[in-house]
Amino acid sequence: MNALLDWMNSAAIPNLLGNPVSWIEIIGFVTGAVCVYGVARQKLWNWPVGILNNLAFTILFLGAGLYGETVLQVIFAAVAVYGWYNWIRGSVATEGRNDLPIRDASRIEILLGLGATIVGTAAVAMILTHGTDSQVPWPDAFVLTASLVATYAQAKKIFQHWHVWILIDLVSIPLYFSRGLTLTAILYVGFLALCVYGLIDWKRTRGFQTPASTPETVTAGA
């Protein structure tokens, strides 16, 4: 196990914009890009790929001193299991599978999401400030808390989760550059583009869904 961890943390690219890139960062890069594309295309396989991405980023962020996001990856994996199940189950109003329709967030869900993000960010930032040697407690705390809100909304196929992910990406890109995670920062630039693509594609798909019709069935295959 130690030999595997040593290999994962060893430099695959000695220098990328002044920083080395480890094998685990490359694994995180590839699985992360594939996962976000899968979400944009409403593919069921995005969830297991996402869990693999969570494992990779757990190792990566722990080594970079991003403790909030290390914990986040573990929670992500647990929420991903729920999301995977929820997408497979589909809409309770039909007998189909993998037919969960895209919907808007309710006013209560929006208020709860905002409240959870604000309170969670403040609470986690205080823990990181006083309980760890984190150099970036506030952006780390925001990314952790907002990502949990976005992932839960994604599991429910709430359209507005794309807006949250876009904001998270805008915070994450400079955060990762500041921690020397150059490839991961570049990945999040790609995430930002994929999130815009996903937002547009979900909006197009939702345009075909009407209350009077059966929710559009999405393909679970590759």
Side-chain angles (χ1 to χ4, degrees):
M1 180 61 71
N2 288 335
L4 179 60
L5 289 175
D6 288 342
W7 173 78
M8 287 181 175
N9 288 300
S10 64
I13 302 174
N15 190 301
L16 179 63
L17 300 179
N19 293 294
V21 177
S22 65
W23 285 106
I24 195 64
E25 191 169 2
I26 290 177
I27 293 171
F29 181 99
V30 173
T31 55
V34 172
C35 175
V36 176
Y37 175 77
V39 177
R41 299 298 298 165
Q42 300 183 64
K43 302 294 186 181
L44 279 178
W45 50 254
N46 89 82
W47 295 106
V49 174
I51 292 172
L52 179 59
N53 177 255
N54 299 147
L55 295 175
F57 276 156
T58 296
I59 298 171
L60 179 66
F61 291 148
L62 184 61
L66 294 171
Y67 306 117
E69 296 195 48
T70 301
V71 174
L72 173 63
Q73 298 305 314
V74 177
I75 300 173
F76 266 172
V79 177
V81 173
Y82 166 74
W84 195 358
Y85 164 76
N86 204 41
W87 281 36
I88 289 175
R89 183 186 62 180
S91 172
V92 294
T94 72
E95 296 181 356
R97 290 165 59 85
N98 194 23
D99 62 352
L100 189 66
I102 299 168
R103 68 175 177 86
D104 285 322
S106 67
R107 181 175 299 178
I108 292 177
E109 286 172 329
I110 292 173
L111 292 175
L112 287 175
L114 285 173
T117 301
I118 293 170
V119 173
T121 296
V124 173
M126 290 298 100
I127 293 172
L128 293 177
T129 298
H130 300 291
T132 74
D133 60 353
S134 175
Q135 302 298 306
V136 285
W138 283 96
D140 196 6
F142 169 77
V143 170
L144 187 159
T145 307
S147 294
L148 290 176
V149 172
T151 302
Y152 176 79
Q154 176 183 317
K156 292 290 189 179
K157 273 199 177 179
I158 295 174
F159 176 75
Q160 286 77 14
H161 90 278
W162 288 115
H163 298 142
V164 183
W165 280 126
I166 288 171
L167 180 58
I168 291 168
D169 292 341
L170 291 173
V171 173
S172 297
I173 292 167
L175 173 63
Y176 297 143
F177 271 124
S178 74
R179 304 307 296 167
L181 300 176
T182 305
L183 186 62
T184 301
I186 293 172
L187 170 63
Y188 271 72
V189 174
F191 278 176
L192 181 59
L194 283 171
C195 284
V196 173
Y197 167 74
L199 186 150
I200 293 171
D201 196 66
W202 278 38
K203 184 176 182 179
R204 177 191 59 80
T205 300
R206 189 176 59 170
F208 292 112
Q209 297 175 351
T210 60
S213 63
T214 301
E216 179 181 338
T217 300
V218 297
T219 305

